[in-house]
């Protein structure tokens, strides 16, 4: 019997305002590698997701992504320097300060223009 092998897994992230969300993720540092028929493929290194022109508030408000990075503080500083919250204020983008968590991660939270909650974290100790 042959072994099953997975190549990758991608989430379909909802977008209330598709064009604003595309700009937001590009500003975050993701590269838009394709955009076809309401689905944009974003990647950064080996991490990727699909942004879709689809929105249901209950879904978006309960949708979360976890991005493991090498330095959450550096990511937070970059987003603060870019004024990501101010630039997307009309889309209710919000961000918390980095904090150490009891599960040995340091992270901060970023809420995208559609209400999707991102946990951006690195491992500690």
């Amino acid at each position: 019997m042959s072994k099953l092998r997975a190549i990758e897994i991608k989430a379909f992230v909802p977008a209330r305002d598709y064009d604003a969300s595309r700009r937001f993720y590009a500003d975050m540092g993701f590269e838009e590698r394709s955009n076809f028929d309401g689905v944009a493929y974003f990647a950064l290194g080996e991490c990727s997701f699909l942004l879709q022109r689809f929105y249901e508030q209950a879904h978006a408000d309960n949708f979360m992504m976890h991005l493991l990075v090498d330095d959450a503080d550096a990511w937070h500083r970059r987003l603060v320097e870019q004024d990501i919250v101010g630039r997307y204020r009309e889309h209710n983008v919000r961000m918390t300060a980095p904090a150490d968590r009891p599960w040995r991660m340091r992270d901060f939270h970023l809420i995208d223009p559609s209400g999707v909650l991102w946990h951006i974290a690195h491992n500690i100790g």
Side-chain angles (χ1 to χ4, degrees):
M1 177 188 250
S2 66
K3 291 183 180 180
L4 297 177
R5 189 170 84 90
I7 304 301
E8 78 180 324
I9 188 169
K10 289 193 226 39
F12 280 83
V13 176
R16 176 179 15 213
D17 180 330
Y18 185 67
D19 292 328
S21 291
R22 287 175 57 218
R23 287 190 306 276
F24 174 82
Y25 285 114
D27 289 345
M28 265 187 76
F30 287 94
E31 176 188 355
E32 184 177 316
R33 295 191 177 164
S34 69
N35 179 18
F36 178 74
D37 200 25
V39 177
Y41 171 52
F42 281 91
L44 179 60
E46 298 298 316
C47 299
S48 62
F49 65 93
L50 299 163
L51 181 71
Q52 62 179 333
R53 185 181 285 130
F54 167 83
Y55 178 78
E56 282 190 23
Q57 185 171 348
H59 174 67
D61 287 349
N62 288 285
F63 197 93
M64 289 184 270
M65 294 288 284
H66 186 269
L67 179 63
L68 186 63
V69 298
D70 59 352
D71 185 345
D73 294 295
W75 270 77
H76 188 269
R77 274 191 306 276
R78 182 176 178 273
L79 295 172
V80 167
E81 288 167 1
Q82 287 184 307
D83 191 26
I84 198 88
V85 171
R87 290 169 54 205
Y88 291 92
R89 181 167 282 117
E90 72 274 10
H91 297 284
N92 206 26
V93 167
R94 297 179 309 282
M95 186 169 63
T96 65
D100 292 346
R101 307 296 177 189
W103 47 88
R104 297 184 352 201
M105 297 192 101
R106 181 166 178 81
D107 74 0
F108 67 94
H109 302 146
L110 177 65
I111 297 176
D112 87 348
S114 301
V116 172
L117 173 61
W118 282 76
H119 298 255
I120 301 175
H122 70 252
N123 293 313
I124 56 176

